[in-house]
Amino acid sequence: MAVDSLRGLDRLVSDVEPSDGRAARSHRTRRAIIEAMRALHAEGDLRPTAPRIADRAGVSLRTVWQQFADREALLVEAVRRDHEILRSLVEKIEPDQPLAARVESFVSQRARVLEEMTPTWRAARVHTPFSDELRRNKARKNAGGKAELELVFAPELARLPGRQRRQLTDSLHAVSIWSFWESLRTDLGLSPLQASEIVSNTLTALFAQAGFR
């Protein structure tokens, strides 16, 4: 996901602790609850109960519901927390590098992001059909991922006519989004290295088919 495309998410969640004492305590409590939920997701519990979240966070069940209106609100905040982490994983890939170098850097970075985001995104996928906010988050995530590859591979895409450029962009996007990665990792049982190699080889083949080597 391109760094510039994530700037609109700044308003959603902040890592900056408020200076006011009470507000700061509330901020820490909310973050502890969010991190507890993310930890449970990472352990494979995609529908953790509120008591389990409270126990993991070291707070009372009442505190959980004082901080969050419902389970959807808590999951939305967990997804937003992942966006913060995602920002720390993304570095700009200069488009003036050779194509092969950019493909390698792009796949390496995207693999790190997708692996880190997988637990929460798995949980979000379960709830997305029932949540407008989660659907909006998914749309922003996909748009950001597409914007990043358009920047990284701008020299090649700019040389193609409109329809061919759109087809190549969509193809590159299709094999570099989380759902494709999740299929490689879960349905095919591949390791991160094996999945990365498939994505890299597919991107290289797509560029070669379009006349770029």
Side-chain angles (χ1 to χ4, degrees):
M1 200 176 282
V3 173
D4 288 346
S5 71
L6 292 172
R7 287 176 180 166
L9 297 172
D10 289 345
R11 60 185 173 79
L12 299 178
V13 178
S14 174
D15 259 336
V16 179
E17 186 172 295
S19 56
D20 176 75
R22 175 178 290 185
R25 286 191 296 274
S26 177
H27 182 275
R28 288 193 294 270
T29 298
R30 285 177 66 86
R31 186 48 53 88
I33 294 169
I34 293 167
E35 294 299 346
M37 187 176 198
R38 294 183 71 251
L40 291 169
H41 288 163
E43 294 170 6
D45 187 351
L46 303 185
R47 294 175 179 268
T49 64
R52 287 198 66 190
I53 295 169
D55 183 65
R56 178 62 64 92
V59 301
S60 68
L61 182 59
R62 179 183 179 185
T63 298
V64 172
W65 299 133
Q66 285 176 332
Q67 294 291 336
F68 299 95
D70 50 35
R71 286 169 57 87
E72 179 188 357
L74 178 51
L75 182 56
V76 167
E77 289 292 338
V79 172
R80 290 173 176 174
R81 172 58 178 157
D82 273 7
H83 283 303
E84 295 176 355
I85 296 171
L86 186 154
R87 288 174 65 89
S88 72
L89 298 175
V90 174
E91 295 180 0
K92 184 179 180 181
I93 300 172
E94 296 297 339
D96 59 353
Q97 299 179 65
L99 176 59
R102 279 178 283 136
V103 168
E104 181 180 357
S105 296
F106 176 81
V107 173
S108 177
Q109 179 165 269
R110 184 61 63 92
R112 289 197 305 274
V113 168
L114 296 179
E115 278 293 296
E116 180 69 28
M117 301 297 105
T118 285
T120 299
W121 288 357
R122 281 177 179 164
R125 181 174 58 182
V126 173
H127 299 275
T128 294
F130 315 104
S131 169
D132 290 340
E133 183 61 28
L134 288 175
R135 285 194 292 274
R136 285 191 289 269
N137 282 341
K138 181 179 179 180
R140 283 193 290 262
K141 176 186 68 179
N142 285 337
K146 188 174 183 179
E148 180 189 22
L149 71 85
E150 287 177 323
L151 288 174
V152 173
F153 303 115
E156 291 74 25
L157 295 173
R159 292 167 57 186
L160 298 175
R163 183 174 179 219
Q164 190 177 1
R165 181 173 63 250
R166 288 191 297 272
Q167 288 179 336
L168 179 56
T169 300
D170 289 341
S171 298
L172 297 172
H173 189 212
V175 299
S176 60
I177 60 177
W178 177 74
S179 56
F180 185 76
W181 181 263
E182 173 72 348
S183 181
L184 294 176
R185 296 282 284 115
T186 302
D187 297 334
L188 300 186
L190 302 181
S191 68
L193 178 59
Q194 290 171 319
S196 295
E197 289 175 345
I198 287 180
V199 174
S200 180
N201 291 340
T202 304
L203 294 184
T204 299
L206 287 169
F207 278 115
Q209 187 179 43
F212 303 106
R213 297 181 184 276

